[in-house]
Amino acid sequence: MNTQTTTEFAPILVADIGGTNARFALITDFNAQTNQFVIEHNLTFPSADFGSLESAINQYFSQISFPKPSRACLAVAGPIKAGQVHLTNLGWHFNVADLKAEFSFEQLEVINDFAAFAYAAPYLDDSQNMAVKAGQADENANIAVMGPGTGFGAACLVRTSQGSAVLSCEAGHITLAAVTELDRLLITELKKQLNHVSVETVFSGPGIAHLYGAMAAVKGVEAKNLDAAQISELATTGQCEVCDATLNQFCDWIGSVAGDLALTFGALGGVFIGGGILPRMQQRLLSSRFVERFADKGIMSQYTSQIPVTLVTQDNIPFIGAAACIHVKSNA
Amino acid sequence: MNTQTTTEFAPILVADIGGTNARFALITDFNAQTNQFVIEHNLTFPSADFGSLESAINQYFSQISFPKPSRACLAVAGPIKAGQVHLTNLGWHFNVADLKAEFSFEQLEVINDFAAFAYAAPYLDDSQNMAVKAGQADENANIAVMGPGTGFGAACLVRTSQGSAVLSCEAGHITLAAVTELDRLLITELKKQLNHVSVETVFSGPGIAHLYGAMAAVKGVEAKNLDAAQISELATTGQCEVCDATLNQFCDWIGSVAGDLALTFGALGGVFIGGGILPRMQQRLLSSRFVERFADKGIMSQYTSQIPVTLVTQDNIPFIGAAACIHVKSNA
């Protein structure tokens, strides 16, 4: 029987399970004043040290001196299909119901990393993140999250008077649209090598290399065999004009992509951009045409103009999102 | 006190409020075997006969001999913002909370017409609709709804193990992407007249006229001043080759647009297309490249291939959606 008062917070085990690291923490409280979760007992293990998720969780519990919580949410870098999770890089496989039974959790949720980002969005710390575009967020409306990394991820926190839910999706794979004449020329070049020019074929780590190749062709320059890190290095040090133009175009064009996703997700609650790439090009993003291209949507330009866009650089997003997933459901 | 057994269905007032007609009905039961709502006491009034929504509702209640229900859901052809609804064409304005109090409803929801379509999607009658594309719907996954009419509407029924909600959006206003060389040539022509070539600038009634103009330019033919109805008539009677090519391109290209929306909405639960235009060109749609273009998404072609697409021609979608909105919430 639960004899706690309703004001007492039942701790939540949260985890961020990736191919490299398995990170665990306990959410021990929620501060309604600051709208922040209290994250404690944060431990990181190399994922490859464990043969299964279960053994990693057991290792975590053995290292903290805290009663095992009855609620848990795991953010995993991979798809969850009908309660089954395969983390192919690690060879880990688990079933959500079996895991729940094994650890006697009263509540267990498993969500993917961009779903966690969407759940986390209302609980971020403004002081740790960067406003890319000013606006007026509707606090009851949908929030879009997105970002280029290994691929292009996106999700939406849907909030209506009838209920809320997180939409997980494959938005990175839609056909990339051209807005400017340069966009069009670049897509024409990309099509020479790629069957389908999707958003992700440009807006991702490997995509930067594709975009560089196309930019070189448009400029009539011979492309070198460079990866994203090399392109970024040569652009930043001023050693390669094509690399510089590539990253500028990347920052400009992603504004149009983000504006389209804001429209498709009805994201009057705001857009949050993250992932591995954009936090490393903050100044370039700020001096780019991102804001102009985000808003440039014909008769809907007023709609997109009012939406704030935030670059998320704070750590612990998967922990916050996992906590929010449980917290929102418990307080529904 | 409610002395009804839990198996007894509390009736729901449903309405479909448009600029031309205000339609009302009572949902008197839900048949779990057929997954269908029982719709009775259907009455249609000319909207312009009334000075307010309240007077139309009173007229409905005065004409039916049935106790006033305690639950109601209204589908309106317009935006709902912070509980305020303005139906500008009719000069009607109402506040959801005030309306709820005035009619002593225990529960009142007001949703827009595409949100109603999304709520209705799991409760449609297969025998009344047409499979455009075969597939295997995941019954627990998101469902996308969309369709060209006066504009291009879209919405998503988000279904996850953590909850469900309907996403309303402005997806018709995203930038239209070119997939084929003909698409690209048409967009180039459209750009000569339009600042922003959105999905809706082609996929709507007025859009068909835009597309016809661009098609004539691409074919080097002088365009006549034709509206969508005239283009359709001339195409169907074989009197205008450009009109025929326009409608074929419309059916082909909307396959690519629908495929992108399916990816952005993660719609493994299926795609339902409706609206005023496509039901009138069923045979052309079936013989078009819609299915091929829907699935043609590079490395995600397997994902889109499995998604079934249904053309919704059955009547009463707003009633079914309004009923489902209340029913789902009551049974959550």
Side-chain angles (χ1 to χ4, degrees):
Chain A
M1 288 291 252
N2 186 353
T3 55
Q4 294 179 329
T5 64
T6 52
T7 54
E8 211 163 310
F9 187 93
I12 305 168
L13 170 69
V14 292
D16 171 17
I17 309 294
T20 308
N21 289 313
R23 300 169 63 205
F24 295 92
L26 287 180
I27 306 298
T28 55
D29 207 353
F30 174 68
N31 185 330
Q33 263 74 48
T34 60
N35 204 40
Q36 303 282 303
F37 292 97
V38 177
I39 304 170
E40 296 186 305
H41 306 285
N42 188 337
L43 289 178
T44 299
F45 306 117
S47 304
D49 285 3
F50 301 90
S52 69
L53 175 62
E54 291 85 340
S55 58
I57 294 174
N58 277 321
Q59 177 70 22
Y60 177 68
F61 283 141
S62 75
Q63 286 192 223
I64 59 164
S65 54
F66 197 93
K68 190 176 74 57
S70 63
R71 312 192 290 172
C73 184
L74 317 177
V76 300
I80 302 121
K81 177 101 181 160
Q84 303 286 329
V85 184
H86 292 269
L87 297 168
T88 30
N89 289 346
L90 292 170
W92 291 4
H93 167 253
F94 64 94
N95 173 289
V96 178
D98 292 349
L99 195 71
K100 187 178 174 186
E102 180 165 349
F103 290 95
S104 305
F105 291 127
E106 284 171 27
Q107 187 180 5
L108 170 66
E109 304 289 345
V110 181
I111 57 179
N112 80 29
D113 47 353
F114 269 86
F117 189 5
Y119 276 114
Y123 302 99
L124 301 183
D125 178 358
D126 287 346
S127 69
Q128 292 188 57
N129 301 307
M130 194 183 79
V132 173
K133 179 186 171 303
Q136 188 61 49
D138 176 344
E139 289 191 3
N140 301 307
N142 301 345
I143 293 176
V145 301
M146 66 191 72
T150 310
F152 183 95
C156 179
L157 176 63
V158 181
R159 302 191 288 186
T160 74
S161 60
Q162 287 90 31
S164 71
V166 164
L167 175 149
S168 295
C169 68
E170 297 293 345
H173 297 282
I174 67 168
T175 304
L176 179 59
V179 178
T180 68
E181 179 64 12
L182 178 55
D183 297 351
R184 195 186 65 69
L185 293 171
L186 291 165
I187 286 177
T188 302
E189 287 302 325
L190 289 163
K191 278 210 173 163
K192 292 178 183 169
Q193 296 154 51
L194 301 163
N195 165 37
H196 178 234
V197 180
S198 69
V199 164
E200 184 170 290
T201 54
V202 168
F203 298 102
S204 62
I208 289 178
H210 290 147
L211 184 60
Y212 161 77
M215 185 66 81
V218 167
K219 289 186 175 286
V221 175
E222 198 178 342
K224 300 190 189 84
N225 186 19
L226 302 175
D227 65 17
Q230 293 167 318
I231 293 161
S232 182
E233 170 71 15
L234 292 170
T236 309
T237 55
Q239 293 176 76
C240 169
E241 204 180 303
V242 177
C243 297
D244 192 56
T246 298
L247 297 193
N248 288 342
Q249 172 69 10
F250 186 91
C251 291
D252 292 351
W253 203 350
I254 204 170
S256 296
V257 172
D260 282 345
L261 278 174
L263 288 165
T264 307
F265 288 150
L268 292 172
V271 169
F272 293 84
I273 55 177
I277 294 171
L278 291 173
R280 284 185 262 162
M281 39 170 96
Q282 293 184 29
Q283 287 316 308
R284 194 181 288 270
L285 189 64
L286 282 182
S287 59
S288 76
R289 296 180 61 209
F290 179 98
V291 171
E292 183 184 337
R293 291 190 60 159
F294 182 90
D296 180 22
K297 297 295 171 187
I299 59 168
M300 291 305 280
S301 295
Q302 207 208 331
Y303 181 98
T304 43
S305 289
Q306 72 191 287
I307 299 174
V309 182
T310 305
L311 176 65
V312 176
T313 53
Q314 86 176 87
D315 204 358
N316 286 346
I317 298 294
F319 287 167
I320 296 167
C325 172
I326 298 284
H327 185 68
V328 167
K329 207 174 173 181
S330 304
N331 290 277
Chain B
M1 289 291 255
N2 186 352
T3 55
Q4 294 180 332
T5 64
T6 52
T7 54
E8 211 163 309
F9 187 92
I12 305 169
L13 170 70
V14 292
D16 171 17
I17 310 294
T20 308
N21 289 313
R23 299 169 63 206
F24 295 92
L26 287 180
I27 306 297
T28 54
D29 207 353
F30 174 68
N31 184 332
Q33 263 74 50
T34 60
N35 205 39
Q36 303 282 303
F37 291 98
V38 177
I39 304 170
E40 296 186 304
H41 306 284
N42 188 336
L43 289 178
T44 299
F45 306 118
S47 304
D49 284 4
F50 300 90
S52 69
L53 175 63
E54 291 85 342
S55 60
I57 295 175
N58 277 321
Q59 177 70 23
Y60 177 69
F61 282 141
S62 75
Q63 286 191 223
I64 58 165
S65 54
F66 198 93
K68 190 176 72 58
S70 63
R71 313 193 289 174
C73 184
L74 317 177
V76 299
I80 302 121
K81 178 101 181 158
Q84 302 287 330
V85 184
H86 292 269
L87 296 169
T88 31
N89 289 347
L90 292 170
W92 291 4
H93 167 252
F94 64 94
N95 173 289
V96 178
D98 292 348
L99 195 71
K100 187 178 175 185
E102 179 165 349
F103 289 96
S104 305
F105 291 127
E106 284 170 28
Q107 186 180 4
L108 170 67
E109 304 289 344
V110 181
I111 57 180
N112 79 29
D113 48 352
F114 269 85
F117 190 5
Y119 276 114
Y123 302 99
L124 301 182
D125 178 358
D126 286 347
S127 70
Q128 291 188 57
N129 301 308
M130 194 184 79
V132 173
K133 179 186 171 302
Q136 189 62 49
D138 176 344
E139 289 191 5
N140 301 307
N142 302 345
I143 293 175
V145 300
M146 66 191 73
T150 310
F152 183 95
C156 179
L157 176 63
V158 180
R159 302 191 288 186
T160 75
S161 61
Q162 287 91 29
S164 71
V166 164
L167 175 151
S168 295
C169 68
E170 297 292 346
H173 297 281
I174 67 169
T175 305
L176 180 59
V179 178
T180 68
E181 179 62 13
L182 177 56
D183 297 350
R184 195 185 64 68
L185 293 170
L186 290 165
I187 286 177
T188 302
E189 287 302 324
L190 289 163
K191 279 210 173 162
K192 292 179 184 170
Q193 298 155 51
L194 300 162
N195 166 36
H196 178 234
V197 181
S198 69
V199 163
E200 184 170 292
T201 54
V202 168
F203 298 102
S204 62
I208 289 178
H210 289 147
L211 184 60
Y212 161 78
M215 185 65 82
V218 167
K219 288 186 176 285
V221 174
E222 196 176 344
K224 299 190 189 84
N225 187 18
L226 302 174
D227 65 16
Q230 293 166 318
I231 293 161
S232 181
E233 170 71 17
L234 292 170
T236 310
T237 55
Q239 293 176 76
C240 169
E241 204 180 304
V242 176
C243 297
D244 192 56
T246 298
L247 297 193
N248 287 341
Q249 171 69 9
F250 186 90
C251 291
D252 292 352
W253 202 351
I254 204 170
S256 296
V257 171
D260 282 345
L261 277 174
L263 288 165
T264 307
F265 288 150
L268 291 173
V271 169
F272 292 84
I273 55 176
I277 295 171
L278 291 173
R280 283 184 263 161
M281 41 170 94
Q282 293 184 28
Q283 287 316 309
R284 194 180 288 270
L285 189 65
L286 283 181
S287 59
S288 77
R289 295 181 62 209
F290 179 98
V291 171
E292 182 184 337
R293 291 190 60 159
F294 182 90
D296 180 22
K297 298 294 171 188
I299 59 168
M300 291 306 279
S301 294
Q302 207 209 331
Y303 181 98
T304 43
S305 289
Q306 72 192 286
I307 299 174
V309 182
T310 305
L311 177 65
V312 176
T313 52
Q314 86 177 86
D315 204 358
N316 286 345
I317 297 295
F319 287 168
I320 296 167
C325 172
I326 298 284
H327 185 67
V328 167
K329 207 173 173 180
S330 304
N331 290 276

